[in-house]
Amino acid sequence: MTATKAAPEWTAEELAELADLQARNDALPEDAPRGLLSVRLSILTEGTTSPARQELDLRRHAIREGVKVVGVARDLGVSATKKAPWERKELGDWLNNRTPEFDLILFWKLDRFIRRISDLHEVIKWCEKFGKNLISLNDTLDLSSAMTQAMVTFVAAVAEIEAANTKTRVSSHWEYTKQQDQWRIGKPSYGYKTARVGDKLRLAQDPKQARAVRYMYQAVMRGVPANRIAKVLDRAKVPTYSNRKWNNQQVLRILRNPAVKGVRTEGGTKATTYKSKPVLDKQGQEIRVTDDPILTDKEFESVQAALATRSKKRRHHEKNRRPTRFLGVLKHECGRNLNETNNYKELSTGEVKEYRYLRCPDCRKPGFVTPDPEHVYKALWQAVFARLGGYEVLRREYARGDENRRERKRLEESIAYYMSGLEHGGRFDKAGSIREKAEATLDALMNELTKIDPDSTKDRWIYENTGMTYAQHWNTGGVEAMERDLLSAGITFRLGRQEDGELLGQLIIPYDIKERLIRMNNNWS
């Protein structure tokens, strides 16, 4: 990394020092221990240590200890409680794919690196397996000592307790706040904004958003589908809650949320399909946080009934719906994923016939539809088998070079010993059998040294043949195994139509497909 690529919050003085430290780092010998810097921060406040300061402190320490910095893993806006080190974007890439490139990991403080005891134990096991070390700038840390491992576990326990206490304080504050009729914390639901009413902070209508919610309500009551409502809002350039394009789920989520009628709500997690529920006071009544609701209680109930009626009409479709096979692999020529959709037609006999087809969700009028998904799946299967079925399944394993390094060092020291002894005036510089034996021993040592592959003294990835082709692997694992392999390798199957309307499929394979298909073991529990 060069100084010009530093994060924008760096000052001119910090950039100058960074350039100086990098120059000193480049001057270190090639055989110096290789260090990876880990910089993490969940939220930047005045009381936290900035990423720039963390990195500069770590680089100063590395120079003092003679450690050559080979990379920096910056994970900003990442919670150590929610994401383990191997799950983070930058640090995870180093731990999972670039393991041979470093010998130790340096971080500013243990709680900057990890906050869960279970994660710490996992990382310690990983370090033992791959021969790595952990160094903390502000904690005494050296994994070569069992006592230090116990100490590290204790410090991590304190960090985990601190994180749990923070969570408890936040939960306690919310339990108190949600019973109040004024707005203290959190972001208001779509359609509202905070406003001062007397000595209280309450909710008031946001004019643009409230007008959009009223339109959604009126359109649903007229029978307009949610996806049509989303398109109208997009064309009108109505801002969404998250500044993204409107879709039918956003419309339904807003209208189904009781917060739209100006009451306090809680819930709304993915596990409950974002279904929020009103907060009740001690008398069992809903807590009002605005004097000017967008929808009245009666309007809210009527729109729920209208949405429920539409859901009932589609209920028999849901039980027959299945996930799209090869999702992410099958793409339209426009670049979007193709989705498998089903349609139903009631015959004169009363029987309901199901029709399945693949379509591009973005291309309309005339759009792109294939009426026979099974034909497309079969064509994809055959194309992949023809191009990749004969490839051998390789597995990546980690090979440590410390044993061969020790053996090479022993041989080099022994060779130096005998060579100095055979020099003039040396201990073996004598006529007769003593010199002959020393020369024979020297020849044997040098022969052994030539047998050691220099690459085998380095930590490295090795690739083993499993004795199976991908055709055999896919025949055994089925569609699911092929889907996983194609997605991880970045292979796509693009569909389009020629001028005469004939369907055309093209299998797109990356140039480095053999490397992408290599199977890699998961080294984390």
Side-chain angles (χ1 to χ4, degrees), residues 124-144:
I124 290 176
K125 287 193 299 182
W126 181 88
C127 289
E128 290 174 346
K129 178 179 179 180
F130 291 95
K132 310 298 179 184
N133 198 358
L134 301 176
I135 295 179
S136 172
L137 181 60
N138 293 292
D139 303 295
T140 304
L141 186 60
D142 184 354
L143 294 185
S144 61

Side-chain angles (χ1 to χ4, degrees), residues 174-418:
W174 166 243
E175 287 299 321
Y176 168 76
T177 302
K178 72 180 184 181
Q179 293 295 326
Q180 309 300 311
D181 63 352
Q182 56 181 314
W183 198 266
R184 290 179 179 270
I185 60 173
K187 191 174 183 179
S189 60
Y190 189 85
Y192 292 100
K193 63 181 180 179
T194 57
R196 181 69 60 179
V197 179
D199 60 345
K200 293 183 178 180
L201 190 65
R202 303 266 286 173
L203 294 187
Q205 290 189 19
D206 181 290
K208 290 184 179 179
Q209 294 183 0
R211 189 160 56 247
V213 175
R214 289 298 303 179
Y215 165 74
M216 296 179 208
Y217 163 74
Q218 294 164 358
V220 168
M221 298 307 295
R222 295 197 307 267
V224 180
N227 56 355
R228 176 66 182 171
I229 296 173
K231 286 190 174 182
V232 172
L233 293 172
D234 257 341
R235 282 202 291 266
K237 297 183 179 179
V238 176
T240 64
Y241 198 69
S242 56
N243 293 323
R244 298 177 181 174
K245 289 184 66 176
W246 283 97
N247 57 53
N248 61 333
Q249 291 302 313
Q250 287 177 316
V251 173
L252 295 174
R253 198 175 301 157
I254 289 171
L255 292 177
R256 286 174 174 161
N257 190 348
V260 77
K261 57 180 181 175
V263 300
R264 171 90 66 193
T265 61
E266 63 179 351
T269 63
K270 192 173 183 180
T272 59
T273 324
Y274 299 102
K275 291 182 180 178
S276 298
K277 59 182 181 179
V279 176
L280 304 180
D281 60 17
K282 296 179 180 179
Q283 287 74 40
Q285 301 297 317
E286 295 178 348
I287 300 174
R288 301 281 171 177
V289 288
T290 182
D291 299 322
D292 186 20
I294 299 173
L295 296 183
T296 65
D297 290 355
K298 186 175 181 180
E299 288 174 330
F300 182 75
E301 291 174 5
S302 63
V303 77
Q304 301 314 303
L307 293 173
T309 301
R310 294 181 62 83
S311 297
K312 287 178 182 177
K313 291 180 180 179
R314 292 196 293 268
R315 190 168 296 166
H316 69 284
H317 301 349
E318 299 293 337
K319 63 182 180 181
N320 295 322
R321 186 169 294 174
R322 69 183 184 190
T324 304
R325 280 179 282 178
F326 297 106
L327 183 63
V329 177
L330 283 171
K331 292 184 177 291
H332 184 218
E333 57 189 5
C334 72
R336 288 298 302 271
N337 290 334
L338 291 177
N339 299 324
E340 183 174 331
T341 311
N342 46 7
N343 202 355
Y344 299 86
K345 183 178 181 181
E346 189 170 349
L347 306 179
S348 57
T349 59
E351 178 187 0
V352 176
K353 186 173 181 181
E354 179 186 21
Y355 296 90
R356 293 187 181 275
Y357 53 91
L358 288 167
R359 71 180 183 89
C360 176
D362 274 5
C363 298
R364 304 288 178 89
K365 295 181 181 181
F368 178 81
V369 174
T370 62
D372 188 1
E374 294 301 329
H375 173 71
V376 175
Y377 296 148
K378 184 177 180 181
L380 170 58
W381 183 275
Q382 291 174 343
V384 171
F385 259 75
R387 293 285 300 276
L388 306 176
Y391 282 20
E392 295 176 337
V393 180
L394 300 179
R395 180 184 293 111
R396 187 183 76 172
E397 299 287 349
Y398 191 74
R400 293 177 57 177
D402 48 0
E403 184 176 343
N404 281 346
R405 282 198 298 271
R406 287 193 296 269
E407 178 63 12
R408 181 174 180 172
K409 183 178 180 181
R410 183 190 69 82
L411 291 172
E412 289 174 343
E413 290 175 349
S414 299
I415 289 171
Y417 171 78
Y418 279 97

Side-chain angles (χ1 to χ4, degrees), residues 34-36 70 94 97-103 132 398 459:
R34 300 165 301 166
L36 168 66
V70 294
W94 282 91
N97 302 314
R98 305 180 65 177
T99 314
E101 299 180 31
F102 62 93
D103 303 311
K132 310 298 179 184
Y398 191 74
D459 294 346

